[in-house]
Amino acid sequence: MTAAGRTRRADAERNARLLAAAARELFEERGPGAPLDEIAKRAGVGNATLYRHFPTRDDLLAAVYADEVAALCDRGAALSAEADAGEALHAWLEAFAVQVATGRAPAFAGAGGDDARRTEQFARWHAALTSAAETLLTRAQREGAVRGDLAVTEVLTLAHAIATSCTDAAQVRRLLTIVRHGLTDR
């Protein structure tokens, strides 16, 4: 391969990253319907470059959501090394629930398009997030920080239910704290 081929590939990867970052910012500011022209402009690339990397809005939304899933999984891996297994689990559940609550519009908007591709993609994301949660839960159970009879699906269902009932991160955190401590005064 020539140096020019490597440069083009590096430029293409850089442009895709810039576009995803710009899209994430604009989706946070204006929702998943933010104008694609503005995303390209904010990324410092032309519309043709945007459409070459992301032919549809759903493709762009999926790229943004994939980055968010990867970040949550990375956070889980980092937290698994924390000294307090219970705190690590709850910190990850909070990050997960806040992300779902505040970032769900792009994720749900990206649910359109090809059903088979969408189903496969969401299944991969679900498996990755479940794996991250299970690692943290298992460690917390082993160390006696949480009940041993909990299944990862139960814990994620509770966190997801809280997240989808809220749009405010503070409310998510409060409800997760109530779940964590129950209805006692602790």
Side-chain angles (χ1 to χ4, degrees):
M1 177 181 291
T2 66
R6 281 191 298 274
T7 302
R8 268 191 293 257
R9 200 170 298 162
D11 286 348
E13 289 175 20
R14 179 184 58 81
N15 287 341
R17 283 192 309 272
L18 289 171
L19 285 161
R24 184 177 307 102
E25 290 173 5
L26 275 168
F27 292 158
E28 286 174 9
E29 292 170 16
R30 300 181 54 189
L36 296 177
D37 291 348
E38 286 186 38
I39 293 169
K41 186 176 181 178
R42 186 172 287 193
V45 301
N47 287 351
T49 300
L50 170 70
Y51 289 110
R52 188 169 38 257
H53 288 286
F54 305 105
T56 69
R57 179 179 298 277
D58 281 345
D59 292 327
L60 185 56
L61 288 162
V64 169
Y65 193 65
D67 287 348
E68 293 170 359
V69 168
L72 280 169
C73 291
D74 291 346
R75 176 96 195 265
L79 285 168
S80 69
E82 292 291 314
D84 187 319
E87 288 300 322
L89 172 64
H90 291 290
W92 188 86
L93 288 171
E94 181 180 297
F96 166 76
V98 167
Q99 178 56 47
V100 171
T102 60
R104 69 173 170 231
F108 291 158
D114 177 18
D115 285 341
R117 190 176 99 198
R118 180 186 69 232
T119 300
E120 181 181 309
Q121 188 173 54
F122 275 90
R124 281 193 311 272
W125 292 338
H126 184 266
L129 292 170
T130 300
S131 177
E134 189 164 36
T135 298
L136 293 163
L137 175 63
T138 300
R139 179 172 167 243
Q141 288 172 320
R142 191 174 52 245
E143 294 183 17
V146 297
R147 292 171 37 173
D149 65 337
L150 297 174
V152 70
T153 54
E154 294 170 323
V155 173
L156 286 173
T157 297
L158 286 168
H160 190 266
I162 289 169
T164 56
S165 69
C166 304
T167 56
D168 176 72
Q171 186 181 22
V172 167
R173 289 182 182 99
R174 175 160 169 69
L175 292 175
L176 280 172
T177 299
I178 291 169
V179 166
R180 180 178 184 179
H181 298 291
L183 299 176
T184 65
D185 288 334
R186 293 190 301 158

